[in-house]
Amino acid sequence: MPVQYANPQVIVSTDWVEQHRADPNLRLVEVDVDTTAYDQGHIPGAIAWDWTRQLCDPVRRDILSKTDFENLMRTSGITNDTTVILYGDHNNWFACYAFWEMKIYGHRDVRLMNGGRKLWLAQNRPLSRDVPNYPPTPYTAREPDLTLRAFRDDVVQAIRDGGVHLVDVRSPDEYAGRVIAPPGMTETAQRGGHIPTAINIPWSQAVNEDGTFKDAATLRQLYENKGITVYQPTITYCRIGERSAHTWFVLRYLVGVDNVKNYDGSWTEWGNLINAPIVKGDQPA
């Protein structure tokens, strides 16, 4: 019998979306770093969330406040009981970030469309440029669940005390400090390298060429081969928190790691900290 994902209900196929996209209690959301791709054509009925403007605090570097999150849900026509299907570009990086943020604020039924925008386009499925306008809805978020989020002090403690896996999901060149950011990326840091003790498992190793997640057995082997178990606490990080949200989703919901947090401060915080320890090269320490 094939190995199953730990939580198979959190991903849906493109077929499922095409069959259910008109369901009245379902909201489709395309999540991208901006809305350029959405404006060129999106799944009919889908609304757009701009990661830069709508999923981040407009002043501080932070996730949305509880009040701002509630306002986003209300203006998106989402109630506490709405099934939300997220998808986006960049292999669902920013969709995973939105999933993570929605879980922090306790939304019950949120799922990812496997393969994201990339697969939908590759399969020549219908697109629309019409922007739907859903009536505002009531929404009450829970208090933030910070067991899903790592902060700088959590990372410092993990280095000092051990017992926590630090997973750097960036490219090998970023991890080694040969580059600070991928080409064309503006968010950067003063120094390159990686956090001491962190192992490098690039996010891309968890997906197939078409953007879908690899099967459950392959994912488990990928992380077990690097010493990641379902019982030991784990912290993921990247550069700005979106790629690490992707790996956070894979580890928590597909592999079944009990205690995994996303360090969304990631390298743009750590690589700018005064007196923070940094390792260069291809080895963890």
Side-chain angles (χ1 to χ4, degrees):
M1 186 174 181
V3 177
Q4 299 296 314
Y5 292 135
N7 299 276
Q9 72 279 4
V10 298
I11 55 174
V12 296
S13 67
T14 50
D15 282 338
W16 189 96
V17 170
E18 187 149 13
Q19 293 165 13
H20 293 271
R21 58 186 172 83
D23 290 0
N25 194 44
L26 183 146
R27 183 69 68 245
L28 273 169
V29 186
E30 179 168 325
V31 191
D32 302 322
V33 67
D34 57 38
T35 59
T36 301
Y38 175 88
D39 293 339
Q40 294 171 353
H42 49 267
I43 299 175
I47 60 172
W49 286 347
D50 180 319
W51 177 81
T52 304
R53 295 186 304 106
Q54 293 174 278
L55 290 173
C56 299
D57 187 281
V59 178
R60 303 178 304 167
R61 188 178 171 206
D62 205 348
I63 64 172
L64 295 177
S65 68
K66 180 183 175 185
T67 298
D68 287 342
F69 179 82
E70 289 173 333
N71 287 337
L72 176 63
M73 297 301 108
R74 291 166 183 162
T75 57
S76 299
I78 293 171
T79 72
N80 290 83
D81 296 323
T82 301
T83 296
V84 178
I85 308 298
L86 304 171
Y87 76 98
D89 59 6
H90 291 90
N91 288 94
N92 276 338
W93 288 355
F94 297 97
C96 286
Y97 186 101
F99 185 106
W100 170 71
E101 194 162 334
M102 292 188 76
K103 285 302 182 183
I104 285 177
Y105 285 113
H107 194 83
R108 182 183 60 83
D109 191 0
V110 54
R111 314 177 197 180
L112 283 182
M113 184 180 79
N114 202 9
R117 180 182 175 88
K118 178 179 181 179
L119 185 60
W120 188 271
L121 294 177
Q123 294 174 338
N124 294 313
R125 295 183 184 270
L127 295 173
S128 173
R129 292 189 177 182
D130 295 335
V131 178
N133 184 19
Y134 298 107
T137 52
Y139 193 96
T140 303
R142 296 180 184 175
E143 292 302 314
D145 180 2
L146 298 182
T147 65
L148 307 181
R149 190 181 189 194
F151 295 92
R152 175 182 62 197
D153 289 347
D154 298 313
V155 177
V156 172
Q157 183 175 354
I159 297 170
R160 183 185 66 228
D161 299 343
V164 176
H165 291 298
L166 290 173
V167 180
D168 186 320
V169 314
R170 299 174 299 163
S171 68
D173 280 346
E174 290 172 273
Y175 175 82
R178 290 185 285 269
V179 299
I180 295 179
M185 300 296 183
T186 57
E187 303 94 346
T188 186
Q190 291 292 314
R191 299 289 185 270
H194 59 267
I195 298 172
T197 76
I199 58 175
N200 185 213
I201 311 177
W203 70 273
S204 57
Q205 294 182 6
V207 296
N208 298 305
E209 182 60 33
D210 64 0
T212 57
F213 295 108
K214 291 182 177 177
D215 65 84
T218 301
L219 289 176
R220 291 189 185 184
Q221 184 177 22
L222 168 66
Y223 295 103
E224 287 175 358
N225 286 348
K226 294 285 189 173
I228 306 298
T229 69
V230 298
Y231 304 109
Q232 189 169 357
T234 300
I235 295 173
T236 63
Y237 76 91
C238 60
R239 186 176 53 93
I240 57 174
E242 88 294 19
R243 287 177 289 177
S244 52
H246 186 280
T247 297
W248 170 87
F249 175 86
V250 171
L251 288 173
R252 183 176 180 88
Y253 288 94
L254 304 187
V255 177
V257 176
D258 290 338
N259 181 353
V260 57
K261 300 180 180 183
N262 180 27
Y263 172 37
D264 55 306
S266 283
W267 195 254
T268 49
E269 178 175 63
W270 194 267
N272 282 317
L273 287 174
I274 299 296
N275 204 34
I278 289 174
V279 177
K280 287 184 175 289
D282 298 310
Q283 299 302 316

